[in-house]
Amino acid sequence: MARRSETNDTLRTAALTALAVTGPLFGIATQVWGQALLLLGLAVLLIIAPPRRSPGALWCALFAGIAVVALTAFLPVRWFGTPEWRKTLTGEYRIELPGTLSPQPWVSLHAICLLFAGAIFALYVITHPWSPQLRRQAARWYTGGVVCLALIALGVGTLGWTVPFWPKVLNSVDYFGIFPNRNQTANLFALAGIMATALAFDGFEKGRKTALMWAGSVVVLGMGIVQTYSRAGCLIFFAGIAAYGLLSFFLSTSAKGGGITIAGFALLLTGFFIFGGGTFQRFQTLATDAAPDFRVVLQKDAVHLASTAPWLGQGLGNFAPVFAMFREASIGDKRAIHPESDWLWVAVEMGWPAMLMFAGACLLWLRQSLPLSLGSDRALRSAALVCGMMFLVHSLVDVSGHRPGTAWPAFFLAALALHPKRSIQRRDWVAPVFRVLGLMLAGIAGWWFASVFSERVSRTAPTMATAAMLEDRAFQQNANGEHDAAVVSANEALRIMPLNADLYFQRGIGRLVEAFSVWGTAKDFATARFLDPHWVELYFAQGKAWTEAGQPEFAYEAWLEGLRHAGTKGPALYDQMLLWTGKRPAMHTMLARLSHNDPDYFLTYLRHSGKEESDLQISQLVQAEPELKSFSAEQRNMLFSAWFRQGDHSSLFATLRSNPEWQQEGWRWLALLHAERKEFRSACELIRNSIKKEPTIPKVAGTKSVADLEKLLRARPDDIDLGLQLHTAQLSAGKKTEAMETLRSMQALPNHPAYLAFIEAGQHEESGNWEDAWKAWRMFAGRELQ
């Protein structure tokens, strides 16, 4: 009987390991069909071999509390007070929103199902009897699976292949990874790398040949992390191995294994410094990288949003659409689909009490994992403990806890850290309850599969797969000219995601082109702008649609609002608008109005103007603002440059001559204008007085004769120092013509120093040859006087 029980426990361990590896192994946990497959696998395990031990009252209470808070998303919103943004949508924009606390209950339902599945998996691994033998088997199987995944990823990346069911990596240089976020791929590899280190340490300590295999696995996983270009992954990997090395050094009965671990860590770190490539360079540019600062301001806005609904949150799955309306400090041209923190994500969608419950679960896990006492398999348990702690630290600044493909492996590894003598006792009620949960998960999995493969089922009981299908269909139908159908598809998708700005835009396009419903389109476009006020491309796209429909006033209004929200991106957006309206004179003229109140916009408009229009715009500017007080020094320089290229030279010359204070920025153009008038002396004197720093010219010794120097230079014609000596000697001997020839022969050399032209200009000035001096000055100044 005992042997049969051991066999069953081994099979359960293998099944749990398979579930932990399956999601990331096939890259399926990011898609509805893949999530359904995970849920189905867990359901089968629960029905066939459910847990028979109770996790304890505290675990049950915490998970029950989290479940209750999640389900409050379906309570009537009127019980808690309607937020202002909902009042605006339902009142001013006449949008029909569900009466539930969650404005998108179908979206929340999908997220709640994933949350329940993750919680059930976590409870299963918590209640599993992790004997030393089972723990070691699980650690080997799991780590080996992730190593195989890393080898596959490295192999296909090297060969330039793609795995069909792996999603596209959105923030990677070479699209390496198995999740859309490279940090999540790196997180998976890093935690497995810590476990591989523990297995190698255990092998070396016990003299096993497999130790070398696990040591090699650490290197493979490290290579995979470097290939992701993830700084967070590198920090988890190296900090985790260092933490484990210190623990193993203090906990090991033999100093040999700990010493080997620390030495191995030093080698890994050295290898990273040498072969880290672009990933190591990202650490070097950390001080100038804007990403950490953006993460801080994004989290600041997330905290503000969480404070608006502190008890129950906005409902699971609603962060992105609601957050778009609350961005202030983190305003940017990219959408924020999460707050760069698992904990803040929970606070926004479920409230602060739920976040405290999750924190309580983490503390309970830590309490049941300690102490790392002798005889409790602490070599592997300490590694699993480090993995759990690294995952928690990473969750403060990233969202791997919200991805089943990274969260389930983390739950699995954390369970390996639990103390074998914790209190988990067999209870008769446990197996039936988990079987019922298994049946529930099987039903959810069946529903999700049906929504992917049966459109009829999908529309009757929609899922996120339904929403994605309808959104893509509406876009394609509009692109193909099937605008009536696009409106129908958008309406169906809005029933699932009524806060989706893209869908209102697509429906507006369909209404405008097919039915020419101007006011219906205006309402949809305005709704989209309200839902995502900082998405500047939306304003640009709406303006294009209005222009093509023959409604320039509506286009101008949309673009004007877009520029108001664009911030520092405004000039770039304005440039896009001018470029697109280049062959639409009426709209182009309307955009000219926007250039009058902002120097950056004015300069942008000049780049898209012809000579006559530029003359008119510049003359109007100077007449309205003769002192150009609204222009900075850099903007005045850009204005003078555009004025010289496209405007009237005589007016520019008069303006610069009458405003000496502007010559600090405009001396280049004034010098060119003097040269146009054949006033070469004035041009040369202006340049000499305006250059900020004269070049450093090497001092030359005058010990050799002209004849000796000429002979040496014939032998070494590319020796600049020797040429300078000859030039100086020739000048001293009164041979100015020969000195000039020497100077020009040196300037014929490739990559000659710029100070040669400076010397030539000075020599021409001394001779009163101002036109040649001007030519030399132009050579010296290079592009500044072209």
Side-chain angles (χ1 to χ4, degrees):
M1 192 71 177
R3 189 170 183 180
R4 181 180 177 183
S5 177
E6 290 177 4
T7 301
N8 289 337
D9 286 342
T10 301
L11 292 175
R12 288 191 184 93
T13 301
L16 290 170
T17 308
L19 284 172
V21 176
T22 295
L25 184 61
F26 296 105
I28 60 175
T30 58
Q31 304 172 62
V32 173
W33 67 267
Q35 294 165 0
L37 188 61
L38 280 179
L39 265 62
L40 183 60
L42 180 58
V44 171
L45 178 60
L46 290 170
I47 294 170
I48 296 176
R52 299 186 180 277
R53 296 170 178 81
S54 170
L58 279 176
W59 281 114
C60 292
L62 284 169
F63 280 102
I66 291 170
V68 168
V69 172
L71 290 171
T72 59
F74 303 112
L75 293 176
V77 67
R78 66 177 183 274
W79 291 4
F80 309 99
T82 305
E84 288 300 320
W85 61 267
R86 286 186 71 142
K87 292 178 181 178
T88 303
L89 280 173
T90 55
E92 183 178 343
Y93 294 97
R94 300 180 183 276
I95 301 300
E96 294 185 10
L97 292 177
T100 54
L101 179 65
S102 170
Q104 303 184 121
W106 284 111
V107 176
S108 294
L109 180 58
H110 187 92
I112 289 170
C113 290
L114 284 177
L115 174 65
F116 283 3
I120 292 168
F121 178 79
L123 285 172
Y124 200 129
V125 293
I126 288 170
T127 59
H128 193 61
W130 294 108
S131 66
Q133 182 181 0
L134 291 177
R135 183 180 288 107
R136 289 175 180 280
Q137 286 178 332
R140 291 169 186 152
W141 292 338
Y142 172 81
T143 307
V146 178
V147 169
C148 290
L149 175 59
L151 287 171
I152 293 170
L154 289 167
V156 298
T158 301
L159 296 172
W161 297 348
T162 57
V163 179
F165 40 78
W166 284 5
K168 184 178 180 180
V169 184
L170 302 178
N171 62 343
S172 176
V173 176
D174 54 4
Y175 306 109
F176 175 87
I178 56 177
F179 297 109
N181 189 324
R182 64 183 174 196
N183 291 324
Q184 291 165 357
T185 299
N187 179 288
L188 179 76
F189 289 173
L191 298 186
I194 297 170
M195 292 306 299
T197 302
L199 291 169
F201 165 78
D202 185 67
F204 282 122
E205 193 173 43
K206 296 178 179 177
R208 293 174 179 166
K209 295 180 180 179
T210 55
L212 289 175
M213 179 189 72
W214 293 118
S217 298
V218 176
V219 175
V220 170
L221 292 165
M223 291 170 60
I225 295 167
V226 169
Q227 194 64 31
T228 64
Y229 289 87
S230 169
R231 287 185 295 224
C234 291
L235 289 173
I236 295 170
F237 182 67
F238 288 111
I241 291 176
Y244 175 74
L246 289 174
L247 280 174
S248 64
F249 186 81
F250 288 112
L251 296 177
S252 176
T253 56
S254 168
K256 176 184 175 183
I260 290 175
T261 304
I262 294 173
F265 171 77
L267 286 173
L268 281 173
L269 197 58
T270 303
F272 177 65
F273 289 153
I274 298 173
F275 302 108
T279 308
F280 181 58
Q281 290 175 6
R282 291 195 71 219
F283 280 97
Q284 294 175 309
T285 60
L286 186 60
T288 58
D289 193 347
D293 294 334
F294 179 74
R295 192 184 300 269
V296 171
V297 294
L298 190 70
Q299 293 178 348
K300 178 181 177 181
D301 282 344
V303 170
H304 170 62
L305 176 56
S307 67
T308 64
W311 295 105
L312 299 175
Q314 307 291 342
L316 281 173
N318 289 301
F319 173 84
V322 179
F323 183 71
M325 295 180 276
F326 280 81
R327 295 181 72 175
E328 293 181 4
S330 63
I331 291 174
D333 57 344
K334 293 182 179 180
R335 285 175 163 175
I337 60 175
H338 56 70
E340 301 288 351
S341 169
D342 281 315
W343 297 93
L344 280 177
W345 203 344
V346 169
V348 169
E349 294 189 343
M350 299 179 68
W352 297 105
M355 192 189 76
L356 292 176
M357 292 181 198
F358 279 104
C362 294
L363 290 173
L364 181 58
W365 163 75
L366 187 59
R367 176 187 171 188
Q368 293 188 353
S369 298
L370 296 174
L372 297 172
S373 52
L374 188 64
S376 65
D377 198 19
R378 59 186 183 181
L380 282 183
R381 285 183 53 239
S382 60
L385 181 67
V386 170
C387 287
M389 295 304 296
M390 289 292 106
F391 190 85
L392 289 176
V393 170
H394 190 211
S395 69
L396 295 172
V397 294
D398 217 318
V399 291
S400 295
H402 278 72
R403 179 79 66 192
T406 47
W408 287 32
F411 298 157
F412 180 81
L413 291 176
L416 298 183
L418 292 168
H419 200 286
K421 293 184 179 180
R422 73 192 188 284
S423 178
I424 50 167
Q425 299 178 357
R426 295 178 71 94
R427 293 287 187 265
D428 293 337
W429 58 268
V430 173
V433 168
F434 274 95
R435 280 199 171 100
V436 170
L437 293 174
L439 291 171
M440 180 189 73
L441 290 179
I444 294 171
W447 165 37
W448 287 1
F449 274 126
S451 74
V452 173
F453 299 108
S454 171
E455 188 164 328
R456 181 178 178 182
V457 173
S458 182
R459 292 187 172 186
T460 304
T463 65
M464 299 311 296
T466 312
M469 178 267 293
L470 290 171
E471 186 176 1
D472 289 343
R473 182 176 295 177
F475 176 83
Q476 290 298 328
Q477 287 168 338
N478 270 328
N480 296 334
E482 302 168 10
H483 302 294
D484 276 344
V487 172
V488 173
S489 297
N491 281 332
E492 290 188 50
L494 284 169
R495 183 167 63 93
I496 308 167
M497 299 187 299
L499 300 185
N500 187 305
D502 298 274
L503 289 171
Y504 288 103
F505 174 67
Q506 292 300 329
R507 189 173 72 175
I509 292 290
R511 284 176 168 179
L512 178 63
V513 178
E514 187 62 27
F516 206 74
S517 174
V518 171
W519 296 112
T521 296
K523 173 178 169 290
D524 280 341
F525 281 4
T527 304
R529 297 198 299 269
F530 176 80
L531 288 170
D532 206 341
H534 306 297
W535 179 27
V536 294
E537 287 300 322
L538 174 65
Y539 298 94
F540 182 55
Q542 288 186 4
K544 289 170 62 177
W546 281 123
T547 303
E548 290 173 343
Q551 298 289 333
E553 290 295 338
F554 283 99
Y556 180 76
E557 181 182 338
W559 281 355
L560 185 62
E561 186 178 348
L563 291 171
R564 282 199 297 265
H565 284 91
T568 57
K569 302 290 184 181
L573 179 61
Y574 187 53
D575 185 74
Q576 275 186 285
M577 295 173 181
L578 291 170
L579 184 64
W580 190 78
T581 58
K583 296 182 179 179
R584 297 170 174 82
M587 193 65 200
H588 198 80
T589 303
M590 291 178 71
L591 288 174
R593 306 175 199 167
L594 304 178
S595 69
H596 297 159
N597 300 321
D598 188 291
D600 284 328
Y601 287 10
F602 184 83
L603 295 169
T604 302
Y605 188 80
L606 286 183
R607 290 201 299 270
H608 294 271
S609 303
K611 188 178 187 305
E612 291 183 5
E613 189 175 10
S614 295
D615 280 339
L616 177 62
Q617 292 292 328
I618 292 171
S619 64
Q620 290 177 349
L621 170 70
V622 175
Q623 185 176 1
E625 191 181 350
E627 297 182 3
L628 298 179
K629 288 185 178 180
S630 65
F631 283 68
S632 67
E634 183 182 356
Q635 288 170 335
R636 281 199 299 271
N637 183 35
M638 294 172 66
L639 172 63
F640 298 146
S641 175
W643 198 339
F644 182 84
R645 291 193 315 270
Q646 299 167 238
D648 181 66
H649 283 193
S650 60
S651 62
L652 175 59
F653 183 79
T655 300
L656 290 173
R657 291 279 291 176
S658 60
N659 294 277
E661 67 275 11
W662 292 351
Q663 292 180 18
Q664 186 175 358
E665 297 90 38
W667 63 268
R668 301 167 184 81
W669 323 115
L670 184 57
L672 288 166
L673 292 169
H674 274 300
E676 279 185 359
R677 295 163 175 258
K678 306 298 182 182
E679 299 168 354
F680 298 114
R681 178 169 184 168
S682 297
C684 293
E685 290 175 348
L686 181 61
I687 295 174
R688 183 174 288 279
N689 294 330
S690 299
I691 57 175
K692 295 180 180 180
K693 185 179 180 181
E694 292 188 359
T696 302
I697 302 174
K699 294 182 179 180
V700 296
T703 57
K704 293 183 175 64
S705 66
V706 171
D708 290 340
L709 290 170
E710 287 176 343
K711 184 177 180 181
L712 289 171
L713 189 61
R714 282 194 295 272
R716 296 180 298 184
D718 57 349
D719 190 327
I720 297 292
D721 291 336
L722 192 60
L724 279 178
Q725 291 182 45
L726 176 59
H727 173 264
T728 304
Q730 288 169 331
L731 285 178
S732 299
K735 299 181 177 181
K736 294 183 178 180
T737 304
E738 291 83 351
M740 182 61 67
E741 290 176 358
T742 300
L743 199 60
R744 287 178 174 170
S745 67
M746 287 190 288
Q747 291 183 74
L749 297 172
N751 301 319
H752 63 271
Y755 62 70
L756 295 177
F758 181 83
I759 295 172
E760 181 183 350
Q763 187 173 336
H764 283 309
E765 288 179 352
E766 288 181 5
S767 302
N769 188 357
W770 294 104
E771 183 173 359
D772 286 340
W774 164 249
K775 293 177 182 177
W777 276 119
R778 293 195 71 170
M779 290 176 58
F780 172 72
R783 291 184 179 180
E784 294 189 54
L785 288 174
Q786 296 302 317

